[in-house]
Amino acid sequence: MKGLHYHYQVPGDDFTRAGEASGAIKAALKKLGFSPQVVRKVAIAMYEGEINLVIHGGGGEIDVDIDGEKVTMVLADHGPGIPDIQKAMEEGWSTAPDNVRSLGFGAGMGLPNMKKYSDEMTVESVVGEGTTVTMVVKLV
Amino acid sequence: MTLGEVKTILDAQLLCGEELLDQEVHTACGSDLMSDVLAFVKDQAVLLTGLMNQQVIRTAEMMDILCIIFVRGKEPAPEVVELAKEKDLAIMTTTHRMFTACGLLFQSGLNGGVHIQ
Ligand SMILES: Nc1ncnc2c1ncn2[C@@H]1O[C@H](COP(=O)(O)OP(=O)(O)OP(=O)(O)O)[C@@H](O)[C@H]1O
Ligand SMILES: [Mg+2]
């Protein structure tokens, strides 16, 4: 299979649109005939990442590459960065403000869930510069 | 049971997804916290919630949830219903509160699905 590439610009000021990119990728993978398990893993992992991009990162960019072996998602923002990545990866750790909680998010489950649903995940972050999360879901 | 039966049991109003009423469903979940739905739901086809925004629809989309039931008689905004239509999801509203709505469905044979840690 020839490699496919998708690029999305995710606005940081419109929470209602968070998930558009993940929805589009989910539909594309379904159409390409990927197994329901793979489609779901990618959809959940990417959606959690996209929400984080909007609520914590101030928006950013998502690049998705699909080849015969894997789906690679790179989510990059130029937001505040994460001071302690290990802490951020803990279940229940969240700095989400109350308005985010009232929308049903901010339980500190996103990053652990992204780790669970992807086969590989790396988080690179520099305080004051931004965060890049890379996730890989293998096709077999 | 079918989504049509769910509608009858909850005395619910269908806002969209007429074509899904014959769909068989076996499991459901109730939550106002989408973080939890994303982390703990496995194969539940119905989501009962008191929360109303676009992210409820998107969360359902990612989790392959077929039907969202808004409890306590709340009416979702038109753009929320529009998004659900676009994603081929059914939306119902019921005047029952969360506990009662879940209880009625459980009593009629819907269950919580597999428990995952
Ligand atoms: N892109 C990001 N930029 C800056 N900080 C981030 C970013 N992503 C995550 N964080 C930090 O890591 C914490 C944990 O993230 P995680 O996604 O696990 O939980 P949450 O987003 O707070 O809540 P939930 O995902 O359950 O809605 C966040 O509260 C935030 O402090
Ligand atoms: Mg999160």
Side-chain angles (χ1 to χ4, degrees):
Chain A
M1 171 183 159
K2 188 169 137 288
L4 291 169
H5 180 80
Y6 298 85
H7 177 81
Y8 300 94
Q9 201 82 39
V10 180
D13 55 356
D14 191 354
F15 180 74
T16 66
R17 289 184 55 195
E20 277 183 8
S22 305
I25 283 293
K26 187 178 187 208
L29 291 180
K30 237 173 151 173
K31 218 166 160 186
L32 287 165
F34 288 105
S35 74
Q37 292 91 314
V38 165
V39 174
R40 175 182 261 220
K41 281 170 79 177
V42 171
I44 297 172
M46 183 168 160
Y47 180 57
E48 291 274 22
E50 189 175 353
I51 295 271
N52 279 356
L53 214 57
V54 174
I55 64 180
H56 305 298
E61 295 182 19
I62 305 180
D63 286 279
V64 182
D65 279 287
I66 305 168
D67 63 27
E69 284 165 12
K70 61 190 183 305
V71 178
T72 307
M73 298 160 264
V74 181
L75 300 93
D77 67 61
H78 299 287
I82 306 174
D84 186 343
I85 295 175
Q86 212 174 327
K87 188 109 210 148
M89 291 295 304
E90 283 175 16
E91 280 188 15
W93 168 259
S94 174
T95 61
D98 282 348
N99 69 318
V100 166
R101 287 171 208 268
S102 68
L103 293 165
F105 291 87
M109 295 304 297
L111 286 169
N113 213 22
M114 287 154 72
K115 180 139 186 90
K116 182 169 118 196
Y117 281 100
S118 57
D119 296 306
E120 286 164 30
M121 171 167 141
T122 55
V123 181
E124 294 156 280
S125 191
V126 179
V127 172
E129 285 181 25
T131 301
T132 301
V133 178
T134 305
M135 292 181 286
V136 175
V137 171
K138 295 183 179 148
L139 298 183
V140 279
Chain B
M1 71 180 76
T2 63
L3 282 181
E5 288 171 290
V6 168
K7 178 174 176 289
T8 307
I9 291 163
L10 295 180
D11 200 8
Q13 203 100 6
L14 184 75
L15 301 189
C16 67
E18 180 94 53
E19 67 286 355
L20 293 173
L21 288 181
D22 291 334
Q23 282 269 348
E24 278 286 335
V25 293
H26 306 283
T27 52
C29 63
S31 181
D32 286 352
L33 195 53
M34 294 305 112
S35 295
D36 273 358
V37 173
L38 286 161
F40 298 113
V41 166
K42 194 142 195 271
D43 53 6
Q44 288 83 335
V46 177
L47 168 65
L48 296 103
T49 185
L51 190 73
M52 299 209 174
N53 56 51
Q54 278 90 333
Q55 296 316 324
V56 176
I57 310 295
R58 299 210 192 269
T59 299
E61 176 193 10
M62 303 311 157
M63 305 306 292
D64 300 310
I65 288 166
L66 289 177
C67 175
I68 298 164
I69 299 166
F70 292 118
V71 297
R72 293 195 294 282
K74 295 193 202 169
E75 284 287 328
E79 53 272 24
V80 172
V81 181
E82 277 315 306
L83 185 60
K85 281 186 190 160
E86 200 182 293
K87 303 296 181 185
D88 297 318
L89 301 176
I91 291 195
M92 298 182 197
T93 63
T94 176
T95 52
H96 291 298
R97 293 185 202 172
M98 177 73 103
F99 181 78
T100 311
C102 291
L104 286 168
L105 293 178
F106 191 85
Q107 200 171 37
S108 306
L110 266 199
N111 70 53
V114 251
H115 180 78
I116 49 169
Q117 267 76 38

